């Protein structure tokens, strides 16, 4: 049956991708199709799914700044949302149950509270995938969403301890000593090189952290996250994350298949799941209003709320434990699995158009903003910029430095990763933090003096969105972008970008031109005479 999983997962994923939607929607459909064909979950598929989640949390840890969890907008927004959501949704479930609808008839307060709690969590897997595919994981709203997800995972750990009645081992306090292993882990990272040993080390640390925490009675997924955070300051943390990316994405296909293979619902279960999904707009609205009240900008609050407006795979864990304890019937496990699957589809479809939705609804959303915004949400306005490099990662940094040697302070850099910008500013670089897909940034900035914008962001979708926002803001200069593949270059040119550089082709040309100078420089008689 293993080859059948692969065939159907690929076929459904490809069909959805051709329609312009994220493949995970197709993988969810593949799970239900396999279920209808009589295929059952087994240990192999469950192991793949568990490994995918573990690797995902480990890579999140590699990028996570723990200090961000202490920001008021993160912890207050998470806890306030959970409290208000549970009260409102429990009341709605009791009210609808009084109408005599299937699965809700005669429901009591304890069951309603349990269901509302299970539905309060947002899906880590779905949201991280959506943010990664859109290139917004390091944006302001992306980091905010990840912070909320991590705090929800901590709440999940507390629930599991209370629900199972199993306290962590007394030896779990020794996990605090992992902090002192950072030099050793850093040494291993450095010595692993750039080949196959680096991803193998990543597997060892991610799965090792999972097993260690599990052995001591603590949620294993939290262990993978913690071990990742121990390495987030290492210079090779980004390289390690990229080397694990394909493995993580492949294993997560198993996770999406297991959702559909949980159980095959009947009509009543489908209607109940659809009814629960009707509350998804309420979940997003609640996040939006809480975040703007915490002095976040309307756009940041809107995009984060849209990403967080889904149900979590953790709801299935809550339901499973509740079924085993006799608090819920087994049918609820199927209903929650289906509602989570449907919510993944909703998020994947809607978030693809998130920026268009904000542009359309901005006049209605902006009035809810607090006039006293957080310092990190202030827009910087460069005064001497004629050339702007958008994205100061590896490629963008090289472009910025080359241009700075030629035109000096007439070139500036912009990136949505505020930590990266802070480190580059500390080195004296003329860079500033800003989300180039945010129309508010361009409206607040004087772009009349800018003659050239270089887009070095990794996602072609981001390049298209940025180009659109620039044109809407009245930018009349030239735009250049970098693409990795030929078909991507064609798409970018069609979107109105003036010049597209193929990353690999241009790198080869540059390498050839620089190498040719070795034999063209005066005074060189032939190979082997140049000084190294």
């Amino acid at each position: 049956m293993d080859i059948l999983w692969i065939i159907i997962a690929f076929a459904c994923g490809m069909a959805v991708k051709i329609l312009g939607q994220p493949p995970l929607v197709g993988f969810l459909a593949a799970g239900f199709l396999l279920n209808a064909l009589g295929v059952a979950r087994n240990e192999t598929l469950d192991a793949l799914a568990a490994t995918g989640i573990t690797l995902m949390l480990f890579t999140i840890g590699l990028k996570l700044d723990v200090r961000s969890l202490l920001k008021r907008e993160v912890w207050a927004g998470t806890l306030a949302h959970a409290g208000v959501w549970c009260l409102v949704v429990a009341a709605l479930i009791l009210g609808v149950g009084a109408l005599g609808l299937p699965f809700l008839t005669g429901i009591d307060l304890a069951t309603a509270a349990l269901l509302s709690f299970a539905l309060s969590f947002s899906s880590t897997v779905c949201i991280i995938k959506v943010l990664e595919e859109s290139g917004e994981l390091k944006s302001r709203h992306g980091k905010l969403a990840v912070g909320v997800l991590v705090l929800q995972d901590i709440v999940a750990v507390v629930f599991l301890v209370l629900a199972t009645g199993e306290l962590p081992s007394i030896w779990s306090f020794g996990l605090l000593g992992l902090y002192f292993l950072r030099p050793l882990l850093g040494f291993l990272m450095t010595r692993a090189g750039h080949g196959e040993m680096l991803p193998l080390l990543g597997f060892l640390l991610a799965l090792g952290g999972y097993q260690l925490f599990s052995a001591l009675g603590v949620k294993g997924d939290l262990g993978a996250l913690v071990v990742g955070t121990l390495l987030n300051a290492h210079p090779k943390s980004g390289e390690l994350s990229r080397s694990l990316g394909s493995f993580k994405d492949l294993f997560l296909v198993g996770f999406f298949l297991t959702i559909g293979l949980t159980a095959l619902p009947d009509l009543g279960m489908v209607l109940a799941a659809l009814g629960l999904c009707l509350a998804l707009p309420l979940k997003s609205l609640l996040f939006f209003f809480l975040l703007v009240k915490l002095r976040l900008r309307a756009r940041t609050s809107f995009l984060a709320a849209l990403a967080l407006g889904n149900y979590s795979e953790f709801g299935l864990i809550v339901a499973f434990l509740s079924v085993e304890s006799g608090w819920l019937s087994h049918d609820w496990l199927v209903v929650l699995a289906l509602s989570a699957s449907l919510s993944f589809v909703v998020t994947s479809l809607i978030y693809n158009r998130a920026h268009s939705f904000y542009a359309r609804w901005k006049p209605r959303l902006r009035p809810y903003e607090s006039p006293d915004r957080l310092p990190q949400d202030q827009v910087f306005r460069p005064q001497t910029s004629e050339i702007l490099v958008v994205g100061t990662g590896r490629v963008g940094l090289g472009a910025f430095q080359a241009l700075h040697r030629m035109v000096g302070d007439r070139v500036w850099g912009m990136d949505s990763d505020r930590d990266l910008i802070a480190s580059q500013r500390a080195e004296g670089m003329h860079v500033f933090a800003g989300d180039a897909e945010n129309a508010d940034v361009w409206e607040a900035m004087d772009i009349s003096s800018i003659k050239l914008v270089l887009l070095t962001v990794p996602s072609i979708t981001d390049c298209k969105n940025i180009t659109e926002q620039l044109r809407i803001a009245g930018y009349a200069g030239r735009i250049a972008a970098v693409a990795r593949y030929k078909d991507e270059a064609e798409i970018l040119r069609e979107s109105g970008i003036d010049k597209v550089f193929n990353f690999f082709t241009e790198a080869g040309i540059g390498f050839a031109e620089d190498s040719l100078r070795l034999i063209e420089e005066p005074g060189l008689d032939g190979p082997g005479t140049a000084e190294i």
Side-chain angles (χ1 to χ4, degrees):
M1 284 296 184
D2 291 355
I3 188 62
L4 183 60
W5 299 341
I6 297 173
I7 292 173
I8 292 183
F10 178 81
C12 293
M14 179 60 72
V16 169
K17 185 174 178 62
I18 291 174
L19 295 174
Q21 302 303 326
L24 72 86
V25 176
F27 300 147
L28 288 168
F32 285 107
L33 179 57
L34 286 167
N35 199 332
L37 293 174
V39 177
R41 289 175 59 172
N42 61 28
E43 293 181 359
T44 300
L45 190 59
D46 287 341
L48 288 175
T51 302
I53 294 173
T54 300
L55 289 176
M56 183 194 68
L57 289 170
F58 177 71
T59 56
I60 290 174
L62 290 173
K63 305 171 186 176
L64 179 66
D65 182 1
V66 179
R67 295 170 299 178
S68 65
L69 303 181
L70 303 178
K71 294 180 178 179
R72 189 182 67 159
E73 60 266 28
V74 175
W75 64 263
T78 303
L79 298 179
H81 184 275
V84 175
W85 168 268
C86 287
L87 289 174
V88 173
V89 173
L92 286 175
I93 290 175
L94 290 173
V96 174
L99 300 177
L101 295 181
F103 291 97
L104 297 178
T105 303
I107 200 167
D108 58 18
L109 178 60
T111 304
L114 190 61
L115 288 173
S116 64
F117 178 72
L119 296 170
S120 68
F121 295 89
S122 299
S123 172
T124 302
V125 178
C126 176
I127 295 169
I128 296 300
K129 283 290 293 178
V130 167
L131 291 173
E132 282 183 337
E133 289 174 357
S134 61
E136 297 176 5
L137 195 57
K138 291 188 176 182
S139 65
R140 173 74 165 123
H141 60 274
K143 288 185 175 182
L144 175 63
V146 170
V148 171
L149 292 171
V150 171
L151 281 183
Q152 287 184 345
D153 279 345
I154 294 174
V155 174
V157 173
V158 175
F159 171 81
L160 289 176
V161 171
L162 296 177
T164 60
E166 297 178 4
L167 294 175
S169 167
I170 188 66
W171 296 104
S172 62
F173 289 103
L175 294 173
L176 297 173
L178 288 175
Y179 178 82
F180 300 101
L181 292 179
R182 293 180 70 184
L184 173 61
L185 298 179
F187 171 79
L188 293 175
M189 283 267 284
T190 302
R191 299 296 296 176
H194 307 283
E196 67 276 7
M197 288 299 295
L198 187 62
L200 185 59
L201 175 63
F203 271 87
L204 173 63
L205 296 177
L207 298 178
Y210 181 99
Q211 294 295 337
L212 176 61
F213 273 58
S214 295
L216 296 176
V218 184
K219 194 168 183 279
D221 292 335
L222 185 63
L225 179 71
V226 169
V227 174
T229 60
L230 295 177
L231 293 167
N232 60 10
H234 193 278
K236 291 180 68 175
S237 62
E239 182 182 352
L240 176 57
S241 177
R242 290 187 294 272
S243 71
L244 293 173
S246 296
F247 294 105
K248 174 197 65 179
D249 292 340
L250 184 60
F251 290 141
L252 282 177
V253 174
F255 166 78
F256 293 117
L257 292 179
T258 59
I259 293 292
L261 288 169
T262 301
L264 197 61
D266 57 27
L267 180 59
M269 295 174 183
V270 172
L271 293 176
L274 289 172
L276 292 177
C277 287
L278 292 177
L280 290 175
L282 174 63
K283 192 170 194 178
S284 291
L285 283 172
L286 183 55
F287 266 120
F288 172 78
F289 285 113
L290 286 172
L291 293 175
V292 291
K293 288 300 181 183
L294 290 168
R295 298 167 54 201
L296 287 157
R297 291 170 46 242
R299 180 180 181 275
T300 302
S301 303
F302 176 79
L303 295 178
L306 212 57
L308 292 164
N310 49 59
Y311 298 137
S312 172
E313 57 280 357
F314 180 71
L316 305 182
I317 300 175
V318 173
F320 180 77
L321 290 175
S322 301
V323 168
E324 285 194 332
S325 303
W327 302 333
L328 287 177
S329 69
H330 183 271
D331 290 344
W332 274 112
L333 182 60
V334 183
V335 171
L336 290 178
L338 184 58
S339 63
S341 302
L342 292 173
S343 74
F344 293 174
V345 174
V346 170
T347 297
S348 300
L349 296 178
I350 289 181
Y351 199 81
N352 271 355
R353 303 182 60 191
H355 297 281
S356 299
F357 288 145
Y358 177 74
R360 184 185 308 167
W361 298 334
K362 182 171 65 173
R364 298 182 181 180
L365 298 174
R366 290 285 293 274
Y368 293 103
E369 283 185 347
S370 170
D372 183 22
R373 297 179 185 174
L374 296 174
Q376 56 266 45
D377 289 331
Q378 301 296 325
V379 176
F380 180 81
R381 298 175 177 83
Q383 302 298 320
T384 61
S385 174
E386 293 183 14
I387 303 173
L388 183 62
V389 178
V390 177
T392 57
R394 292 179 299 169
V395 177
L397 179 60
F400 174 88
Q401 291 173 335
L403 286 167
H404 191 268
R405 286 193 293 269
M406 292 184 282
V407 301
D409 292 344
R410 290 160 56 197
V411 59
W412 282 72
M414 178 172 74
D415 199 285
S416 61
D417 187 345
R418 294 181 177 272
D419 295 331
L420 176 64
I421 289 297
S423 64
Q424 292 174 343
R425 288 182 68 87
E427 296 174 3
M429 295 172 57
H430 283 195
V431 294
F432 63 98
D435 187 347
E437 291 187 78
N438 182 3
D440 298 342
V441 170
W442 300 117
E443 290 177 3
M445 190 188 306
D446 181 9
I447 57 177
S448 59
S449 62
I450 299 178
K451 301 176 181 177
L452 174 63
V453 174
L454 279 70
L455 306 180
T456 63
V457 293
S459 167
I460 63 168
T461 301
D462 289 350
C463 288
K464 291 169 62 179
N465 289 336
I466 294 169
T467 301
E468 180 182 357
Q469 298 300 341
L470 280 168
R471 298 307 186 195
I472 292 175
Y475 175 68
R478 309 301 293 273
I479 302 175
V482 175
R484 291 177 296 174
Y485 306 107
K486 184 177 180 180
D487 58 333
E488 292 183 343
E490 292 297 331
I491 294 173
L492 292 178
R493 276 190 283 267
E494 291 173 0
S495 69
I497 293 176
D498 300 295
K499 178 69 176 178
V500 180
F501 294 86
N502 184 291
F503 180 80
F504 298 111
T505 301
E506 298 298 329
I509 293 173
F511 174 65
E513 291 176 347
D514 286 347
S515 299
L516 189 60
R517 295 191 185 100
L518 291 174
I519 61 174
E520 291 180 342
E521 292 178 5
L524 294 182
D525 297 325
T529 61
E531 294 184 3
I532 305 289

